[in-house]
Amino acid sequence: MRTAAARPSCWTPAAPEPTHPDPAPASEPRTYHSSNEEKPLSSPSCIARPTENGYAGIYVHYDGVPSVQLPFLLTAYAYRFKGDHEALASYLIDIDEIGWEHLGDDLLFGAPDPIHNALANPDLDYSPRMTGVLTQTGAPAERMEINESNAADSEAGWVYVLRPEGIEVISLALGEDPAHGPVVRWNHSPLTQFSDHPVHWPAPTRSSRGRPSTTLAAQSVPARTPRPAHR
């Protein structure tokens, strides 16, 4: 699921220099668009870790909605990273590149066949890093840390904070509170069909902060429809 979203206006197209083989056919290269060009469909998000004042994390361009990000993060935590949320956070956040194009099937390593088959997409076989992005001056774009202070002004519509107790889901669409959201516990089923509507992910009241609880914006379903490729 993706909605139309603009690319930061300071970024212009550049020839990609992937660190992994590109699964896209040669006739359909990935490109990055400036603000005056036709935009690809995207739903930007941020994967973050908690900090003393809120959170800090990295940009993910595609598939940022809860129905895609949460199943991948829950599965990666449970199987590839064997319950180590700090290792998961380090894998996704502590990279040199400015961000990720999308989360991919490398996060599904070790998952049981029913989960892997429900989430995997043969056209999106890994998590590709964003490379070769230039500013309007032609200089390499620098990585921007997204945090609770600048998230509302970023292109991200969702923030996923990897906390010890679970994933805090912060919707930036309603403009209410860019620093808080409900928490999906780590033991939640990755086959849950999570809602993508921001109204289902309200920020907790001030009195309930510090007592995260699993959001009710989900309904378990027996199977999932594989997500479509971007291209």
Side-chain angles (χ1 to χ4, degrees), residues 35-89:
S35 60
N36 60 351
E37 296 181 301
E38 183 180 353
K39 312 297 190 303
L41 291 178
S42 64
S43 181
S45 63
C46 168
I47 306 295
R49 56 162 59 94
T51 63
E52 182 177 353
N53 296 319
Y55 57 83
I58 193 168
Y59 178 87
V60 182
H61 186 56
Y62 289 107
D63 294 335
V65 292
S67 64
V68 175
Q69 301 297 66
L70 288 175
F72 271 73
L73 294 172
L74 291 170
T75 299
Y77 169 85
Y79 300 103
R80 174 165 184 170
F81 296 96
K82 303 184 185 304
D84 188 340
H85 77 283
E86 293 182 350
L88 172 60

Side-chain angles (χ1 to χ4, degrees), residues 188-189 191-193 218-222:
H188 209 88
S189 171
L191 296 183
T192 298
Q193 185 65 60
Q219 180 179 2
S220 295
V221 293

Side-chain angles (χ1 to χ4, degrees), residues 48-195:
R49 56 162 59 94
T51 63
E52 182 177 353
N53 296 319
Y55 57 83
I58 193 168
Y59 178 87
V60 182
H61 186 56
Y62 289 107
D63 294 335
V65 292
S67 64
V68 175
Q69 301 297 66
L70 288 175
F72 271 73
L73 294 172
L74 291 170
T75 299
Y77 169 85
Y79 300 103
R80 174 165 184 170
F81 296 96
K82 303 184 185 304
D84 188 340
H85 77 283
E86 293 182 350
L88 172 60
S90 180
Y91 178 81
L92 291 174
I93 300 170
D94 299 335
I95 64 173
D96 294 331
E97 288 78 6
I98 63 175
W100 299 91
E101 289 194 32
H102 59 80
L103 301 187
D105 291 359
D106 51 305
L107 295 180
L108 306 180
F109 291 165
D113 286 344
I115 295 177
H116 187 279
N117 294 341
L119 301 180
N121 186 312
D123 295 321
L124 305 173
D125 59 351
Y126 61 85
S127 304
R129 303 180 184 190
M130 294 172 60
T131 60
V133 181
L134 305 178
T135 66
Q136 291 179 334
T137 65
E142 296 183 0
R143 173 173 165 169
M144 180 186 75
E145 178 184 83
I146 299 177
N147 56 47
E148 73 285 348
S149 297
N150 63 22
D153 297 323
S154 73
E155 296 299 319
W158 299 88
V159 178
Y160 302 91
V161 185
L162 308 183
R163 296 189 175 277
E165 66 273 16
I167 306 169
E168 184 177 17
V169 182
I170 302 173
S171 170
L172 302 176
L174 299 180
E176 292 181 348
D177 186 345
H180 300 91
V183 172
V184 176
R185 301 285 180 174
W186 286 118
N187 61 0
H188 209 88
S189 171
L191 296 183
T192 298
Q193 185 65 60
F194 294 98
S195 172

